[in-house]
Amino acid sequence: MPLSDSPVGVVRVSAEPWHVQLRAHVRRHRVVAFGLGLALVVVLALLVQSLVDVFSGSPPVGLRLAMLGGLAGFAATSAGAIPALVMRSIPQRVEDGLLGFAAGMMLSAAAFSLLLPGIEAGGELLSNKALGAGVVVFGLTLGVLLMLGLDQFTPHEHEQSGAQGPGHRAYERIWLFVFAIALHNLPEGMAIGVSFSQGDMSVGLPLTTAIALQDIPEGLAVALAIRAAGYTPLLAVLVAILSGVLEPVGALLGVGLSSGLALAYPVGLGLAGGAMLFVVSHEVIPQTHRNGHQTTATIGLMVGFALMMVLDTTLG
């Protein structure tokens, strides 16, 4: 979880305006900035096409299901955070095991509920399995570029590397917590929205169930990390709960970007899958392996992966 040595509540003041820092950051990270720009252009194009359909009188068929799925993620995050009102911490081994379990659920969900259905849908649309897989790989690449760019250009904190992103000194620590959590929860909400965008319960239900289950230990870990940074229990729990709002917001975004053109659906599934894989590899797994409890975290990951396979088989 994101931590730093800065005093609680101190406003970080920078000598340079934010836009000056942003330009300098872009010059230092031109390739990542280009990738982020490309991903945003494609996402916006898909959203515009979807909005055209909405205003022409044909709203996405899975909009209601996607919003319910996003709200389920929000409720699970809230339920996980509430125990932090009375708990100051949990053993590090237990936390790493729980987060490993969450990582396993996300990995399995990305593979079985996003990428494989995307390849199947793309193959049917193009009458060619290889081209269908190529469409999903294109979406996966966009998802990775999107998350890599947001991670590089959004002010936030990581425990291992401290504050990152242009203009981070202008924000109080609590906001850097919020931004870091948002980067984690947004792709989960997008995955829910994309999975329900065609109204297909066999894709959306197992994925939403998996995300909701792994949101419980994540909500607790986030709230406990904020408490450990020196904030009051109530504020820590409220911030963790509010972070769950990004799940229905992401669901709305996901159902929108994959409900326009026919190929938008497999592209959207690939994008959501790529975004989730990035978060697991870039954030969750490294966090569970830096405290000397790699075996516990790996066992948790395997259990989570296996459970998601069973859910996908029984609910899909």
Side-chain angles (χ1 to χ4, degrees):
M1 291 299 111
L3 299 173
S4 81
D5 297 326
S6 303
V8 174
V10 171
V11 178
R12 302 158 183 255
V13 180
S14 174
E16 294 181 330
W18 178 82
H19 63 88
V20 174
Q21 297 180 59
L22 178 60
R23 285 200 298 268
H25 204 73
V26 169
R27 286 194 295 269
R28 290 194 299 269
H29 306 279
R30 296 179 187 274
V31 175
V32 176
F34 175 79
L36 175 61
L38 175 64
L40 289 176
V41 167
V42 175
V43 168
L44 288 175
L46 293 175
L47 284 174
V48 167
Q49 174 62 37
S50 179
L51 289 174
V52 170
D53 290 344
V54 170
F55 287 111
S56 66
S58 54
V61 294
L63 180 61
R64 179 173 172 274
L65 291 173
M67 293 309 299
L68 288 174
L71 289 173
F74 168 72
T77 300
S78 302
I82 288 174
L85 286 171
V86 295
M87 296 174 59
R88 179 175 293 274
S89 65
I90 58 176
Q92 189 63 57
R93 183 184 297 275
V94 174
E95 180 177 331
D96 289 342
L98 289 174
L99 289 180
F101 171 82
M105 294 284 284
M106 292 176 70
L107 284 175
S108 188
F112 297 112
S113 295
L114 292 172
L115 300 180
L116 290 181
I119 292 172
E120 182 179 354
E124 291 177 357
L125 287 170
L126 298 173
S127 300
N128 185 294
K129 291 183 178 180
L131 289 177
V135 168
V136 174
V137 170
F138 172 70
L140 186 149
T141 303
L142 289 177
V144 172
L145 290 175
L146 180 65
M147 294 308 301
L148 180 61
L150 290 176
D151 181 73
Q152 187 65 247
F153 288 94
T154 301
H156 63 288
E157 287 194 26
H158 293 296
E159 181 181 2
Q160 70 275 24
S161 54
Q164 298 182 8
H168 65 264
R169 296 182 183 278
Y171 296 92
E172 295 184 11
R173 290 188 67 205
I174 193 66
W175 286 110
L176 295 180
F177 276 104
V178 172
F179 295 152
I181 298 165
L183 289 176
H184 190 100
N185 284 351
L186 186 63
E188 293 179 3
M190 289 175 60
I192 292 173
V194 172
S195 68
F196 276 125
S197 62
Q198 305 301 303
D200 190 346
M201 291 289 288
S202 66
V203 177
L205 183 58
L207 177 71
T208 301
T209 302
I211 288 177
L213 286 174
Q214 60 90 32
D215 274 338
I216 296 173
E218 282 189 358
L220 177 61
V222 167
L224 291 177
I226 298 175
R227 281 201 63 176
Y231 292 96
T232 65
L234 180 59
L235 181 59
V237 170
L238 286 177
V239 170
I241 289 175
L242 287 175
S243 74
V245 173
L246 269 296
E247 301 233 1
V249 171
L252 184 61
L253 178 63
V255 74
L257 67 87
S258 54
S259 299
L261 301 172
L263 279 178
Y265 180 54
V267 170
L269 287 170
L271 190 153
M276 287 182 64
L277 289 175
F278 178 89
V279 169
V280 172
S281 177
H282 192 67
E283 298 287 342
V284 183
I285 291 178
Q287 180 176 324
T288 63
H289 281 61
R290 71 170 61 100
N291 302 304
H293 305 132
Q294 297 91 329
T295 300
T296 301
T298 300
I299 292 173
L301 185 147
M302 296 301 180
V303 172
F305 194 96
L307 177 60
M308 179 58 210
M309 282 199 303
V310 173
L311 289 174
D312 189 74
T313 301
T314 57
L315 300 179

